Structure formats: C-alpha cells, structure tokens
Amino acid sequence: MPRLSEVSRDDLSAENQKAYDAIVASRGEVRGPFAAIMHSPDLAGRAAHVGTYVRFETTVPKAPLELAILTIARHWDAHYEWNAHEIQAKEAGVRAEAISAIGNRTAPAGLTDDEALTVKFAKELLENHKISDTTFNAVKDKLGVQGVTDLTVTVGYYSMISCVLNGMEMLPEKSTLPA
C-alpha cells in the first residue's frame, strides 16, 4: 500500500489544479508516481512537463527508449515502472528476449548490438555514475547530439520516477519483474 494517499483534484487550490489538469491532459489521469508527487503540486507539474518530453516527444526512437527505461526500472527494482514499461516495450517492438535479459540481469548477453548499446549506456551511467567515451560516442554517432542528450536525461528522469515509486512504496498489484 502506498505511503501517501492520492490527492484528488478537489483537494487542490485553483492554481494547483492547473498542474493536475496538465498531467491528466498528457497522461489521461493522475496515477503512479504522479499520484505521490501531486502532494507537491508545483513539483508534480514541473516533473510532468519534463516527463511529457522524455516519454512522448524525445528524439530517441521508441524501442531504444523503452529498453533504456526497462534498464533503469531493473536497476532500481522499481516494480511499478517495470510493469508499465514492459507493456510499452512490447508495443514498441522490443524483443521478448531483450526484455527477459534485462529483467534477469543477464543483459547485454543475448541482445543485438543496437540493444546492447542502449542498455550499456544506461547501465554505465547508473552503475559507474559516468559513461565511457566509447559508449557515449557510439550512441552519439547513432542518435546524434540531441539524441544522446535526450537519452542521458531519460536515465536521470526515470531514475527520479523509480525513486519516487520505491520511496513511496508504490507497487503494482502483481509484479512481472523477475526476482
């Protein structure tokens, strides 16, 4: 059970309802991490604004984006995030073998070269707190300067989201993240 109750739109001032409404406009409803962040409405609005770009408007193609998000969710053992983005990854055409390798912590083994590059980029930043020149330049060559920037911010953004989910003990009813 989450540590904080959900905030309803009616609980908010007229000014703070704008942040709530913006989140609903971009995501359909206030749920998941935004249900918790809404306890700080201005922060929720700002985080959602960045999240709208990272999730829906980024220059990173959908399949590598979802591979990176799954890598981040696995790193943080963020079950809610994993469940949500496992579905998104499948819809984006990510191979079941790649999803399984990330979930079982065997990646980059079993991944294609392109899949491995995305996963390696995210893992290096998460685990080493930096990205090697070789990996950074390979991603920059593949995605361009804006793409490598977008992917870097994606790692940071979804790490924040994973921390919110874990810190607030927001779990799915049934997790699909391997033990």
Side-chain angles (χ1 to χ4, degrees):
M1 177 162 200
R3 289 181 158 159
L4 298 176
S5 62
E6 289 192 22
V7 176
S8 75
R9 186 179 189 280
D10 294 336
D11 294 333
L12 301 170
S13 69
E15 181 64 27
N16 288 334
Q17 285 178 355
K18 292 176 186 175
Y20 190 98
D21 293 344
I23 293 168
V24 171
S26 68
R27 291 167 173 75
E29 62 185 319
V30 174
R31 64 180 172 83
F34 290 100
I37 303 172
M38 191 50 68
H39 286 277
S40 180
D42 192 40
L43 176 60
R46 292 170 190 235
H49 185 72
V50 172
T52 296
Y53 178 83
V54 168
R55 184 165 174 207
F56 304 114
E57 301 167 6
T58 182
T59 62
V60 178
K62 194 69 172 161
L65 178 71
E66 292 301 332
L67 280 170
I69 296 168
L70 287 178
T71 302
I72 298 156
R74 175 76 266 194
H75 173 81
W76 289 104
D77 292 329
H79 294 261
Y80 188 102
E81 200 66 37
W82 178 271
N83 277 26
H85 285 278
E86 181 181 28
I87 294 166
Q88 297 289 323
K90 289 175 182 176
E91 290 173 357
V94 174
R95 296 178 317 116
E97 296 85 359
I99 294 169
S100 179
I102 294 167
N104 291 314
R105 299 186 194 271
T106 59
L111 302 182
T112 67
D113 290 345
D114 284 346
E115 292 167 344
L117 180 60
T118 300
V119 170
K120 187 174 181 182
F121 183 94
K123 287 179 79 165
E124 284 184 14
L125 187 52
L126 291 164
E127 295 171 4
N128 304 333
H129 309 196
K130 59 185 177 179
I131 305 161
S132 69
D133 288 342
T134 301
T135 302
F136 185 90
N137 289 329
V139 170
K140 185 175 80 170
D141 290 346
K142 184 159 197 63
L143 299 178
V145 172
Q146 185 174 349
V148 75
T149 302
D150 286 358
L151 187 57
T152 303
V153 172
T154 297
V155 175
Y157 176 78
Y158 277 99
S159 289
M160 176 195 71
I161 292 297
S162 294
C163 287
V164 168
L165 291 166
N166 287 351
M168 300 298 181
E169 294 186 352
M170 300 183 84
L171 297 167
E173 287 185 31
K174 182 178 183 214
S175 179
T176 60
L177 184 65

